[in-house]
Each structure stands twice: as structure tokens, then as C-alpha cells.
């Protein structure tokens, strides 16, 4: 009897670095951004991920969406965990082959993990930190963070007075983390949005080429928190950049190396804000109109400050 031929399946399967099937809301800007980051990082990477929506939705025990070595740290200590991983890789002589990345939301980056992030930057370690900025503590119900923009409604910003003019919604200006990162003498600092997915990838690639600490902050719309439709993360990310409210910037060795220009005239902030339920109160009455003018001033200030036209 002739021998049956052994059929060898030569088809290679490539495991996605961040797989679908995670538990994030449909249309989550953060997951979209994280996929771009993961694809740009490639498999020779170790990620320390702070607590938050990205961590919770991608790693419900015993499942994981990550095709990259990935560890969940505490909410506040992803940078310290990343430093430990880098020290271990150095010990094994593998720190030049494998990139260490720490990542988290704006709550862990701007506020609760800031001390440990500042310490990591002070040490000048060759670690990339990525902040997915959805401008609130989304995972616990959209509480305000240091990244919440002026005038935005959250679950912890009651109507009140304060700041330059009376505000409904947050009356604190967004903390300037880009300036704070630059003040630490970082080698590479960049800001971008989900409106420009290829820009996210390009900035991650540039950060990888940088020897030394790097920071990338990505505006990542949150569907229930911003009260937007699930298909709007890209459009809203584009408008944030095009109005000047969230400029796309890149600093190399402390110098502004590239920026994406806005149109002349730039779209008004109303176009960006009216798509989002968190700003609905701005479109009611004379007080709302006054707030809109104040937010327009913030965008115009950015356009002047970074010469975006
Ligand atoms: C020390 C500590 N404080 C608070 C929490 C509760 N907590 C878990 S996730 C989270 C919100 C995360 O917000 P952010 O970092 O902006 O990420 P997002 O969920 O918005 O993506 C909070 C407050 C915690 N786990 N640990
Ligand atoms: S709550 Fe917001 S950040 Fe969290 S998974 Fe949903 S869309 Fe994403
Ligand atoms: Mg957040």
C-alpha cells in the first residue's frame, strides 16, 4: 500500500499585536490609537500598562488581546515597573534588542502616576511613555482629571464659578504635560490625535529611533464619556487638531521639530465642540456663548504660540 503523503501546512499565521475581541466600547478612540502604537512598536517590545480602560478591556482574566509581552502594573506605577524591566534586560544584555514601553491614560499620567513618571524621566532611561488622553477617568465613570479641558462636563464638575469667567463644566485649564515633559529634558516629545492614524505610527517609529526617554500623548476620544457616536473618533480627532485646540507637535532634543499647520482660517472650535455631548451646555444661552468665545481664545492662542498658520 502506498504511503500517505504527509501534508505540511506552510501557511504562516501572524498574530496581531493587539487583537480584536477585546471588551472596549465600539468606536473607542483609545483602542484605535493603541493598535497603531502596537503595530508600530513591533513584537520586540515589553509594555507596562497602568490601570485604566485600555488595561481592563484588553486583559479580562484569563484572556488577553496582547500579542506583545505585556504586564499590568498598578494605576500609579507603570513607569517604575518599566524601569525594573529595563534594568532586568540590561542585566541580560538584551536592552538594545528589546524596547521597553510604559503606557496609561491621562488620569495615571497627568495625576496619579505623575510622581513615578517624573522619576523615570529624571533618570533619563531609554523608555517610551505613551499617554492615551481621553481627558477624564473614563474607566471609573468619567471623573475630571488634570487633562480635562476647560468647559467640559464630567461627572465631577458641577456648575460653578472659577477661573477667568464663570463656567458650567470644568473651570480648570488642561495641564500642559507637553511643557512638563520638555522641562524634564526629554529627547523626544510629541502630541497627536486619533484623527491621524499614520501620524501616530510615524511618531512611535521616531520615538523608537531615539536613544533616551520619549513621551507621546494621543488625544483619544471616549464614546460614552464624550457622548459621541461610535464612528466619530477619527473625525473628532481631526477637528481637535485642525481647530488648534490639540495641535500636532513634535519636539526633538527640546526643539520644535515639526508641527501640522492648520487652514487659514482654521475651523471654529464650535465645529469640534458641538459634536460632543460633554459640551452641549455651551450651545445654550448667552453664558454658553461667552464660554465658547473663551475656548476659541484658547485655540487661537495655540495657533499663535506654535505658529500653526
Ligand atoms: C491608586 C488608585 N486610585 C484609583 C484607582 C481606581 N481607578 C482605576 S482605573 C481609574 C481611571 C483611569 O483613568 P485614566 O488613567 O484616565 O484611564 P482611562 O480609564 O480614562 O483610559 C481609576 C480612578 C486605582 N485603581 N488605583
Ligand atoms: S469608556 Fe471610553 S475609553 Fe473606556 S472603553 Fe469605552 S470608549 Fe474606550
Ligand atoms: Mg482617561
Amino acid at each position: 500500500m502506498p504511503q500517505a503523503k504527509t501534508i505540511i501546512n506552510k501557511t504562516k499565521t501572524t498574530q496581531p499585536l493587539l487583537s480584536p475581541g477585546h471588551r472596549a466600547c465600539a468606536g473607542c478612540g483609545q483602542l484605535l490609537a493603541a493598535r497603531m502604537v502596537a503595530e508600530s512598536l513591533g513584537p520586540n517590545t515589553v509594555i507596562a500598562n497602568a490601570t485604566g480602560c485600555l488595561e481592563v478591556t484588553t486583559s479580562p482574566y484569563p484572556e488577553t488581546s496582547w500579542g506583545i509581552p505585556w504586564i499590568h502594573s498598578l494605576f500609579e506605577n507603570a513607569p517604575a515597573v518599566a524601569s525594573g524591566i529595563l534594568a532586568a534586560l540590561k542585566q541580560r544584555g538584551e536592552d538594545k534588542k528589546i524596547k521597553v514601553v510604559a503606557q496609561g491614560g491621562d488620569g495615571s499620567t497627568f495625576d496619579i502616576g505623575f510622581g513615578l513618571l517624573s522619576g523615570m524621566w529624571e533618570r533619563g532611561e531609554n523608555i517610551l511613555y505613551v499617554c492615551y488622553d481621553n481627558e477624564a477617568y473614563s474607566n471609573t465613570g468619567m471623573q475630571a482629571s488634570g487633562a480635562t479641558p476647560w468647559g467640559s462636563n464630567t461627572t465631577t464638575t458641577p456648575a460653578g464659578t472659577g477661573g477667568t469667567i464663570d463656567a458650567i463644566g470644568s473651570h480648570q485649564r488642561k495641564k500642559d504635560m507637553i511643557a512638563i515633559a520638555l522641562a524634564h529634558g526629554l529627547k523626544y516629545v510629541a502630541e497627536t490625535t486619533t484623527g491621524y492614524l499614520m501620524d501616530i505610527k510615524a511618531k512611535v517609529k521616531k520615538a523608537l529611533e531615539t536613544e533616551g526617554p520619549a513621551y507621546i500623548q494621543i488625544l483619544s476620544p471616549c464614546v460614552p464619556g464624550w457622548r459621541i457616536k461610535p464612528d466619530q473618533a477619527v473625525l473628532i480627532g481631526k477637528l481637535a487638531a485642525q481647530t488648534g485646540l490639540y495641535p500636532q507637535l513634535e519636539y526633538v532634543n527640546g526643539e520644535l521639530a515639526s508641527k501640522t499647520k492648520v487652514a487659514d482660517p482654521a475651523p471654529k472650535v464650535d465645529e469640534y465642540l458641538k459634536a460632543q455631548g460633554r459640551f452641549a451646555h455651551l450651545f445654550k444661552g448667552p453664558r454658553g456663548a461667552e464660554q465658547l468665545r473663551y475656548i476659541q481664545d484658547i485655540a487661537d492662542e495655540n495657533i499663535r504660540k506654535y505658529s500653526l498658520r
Side-chain angles (χ1 to χ4, degrees), residues 106 134 136-138:
D106 50 291
N134 55 21
Y137 293 79
S138 290

Side-chain angles (χ1 to χ4, degrees), residues 217-232:
Q217 185 176 300
I218 309 168
L219 184 74
S220 308
C222 166
V223 175
W226 293 22
R227 286 179 268 146
I228 57 173
K229 297 192 190 104
D231 62 355
Q232 285 183 311

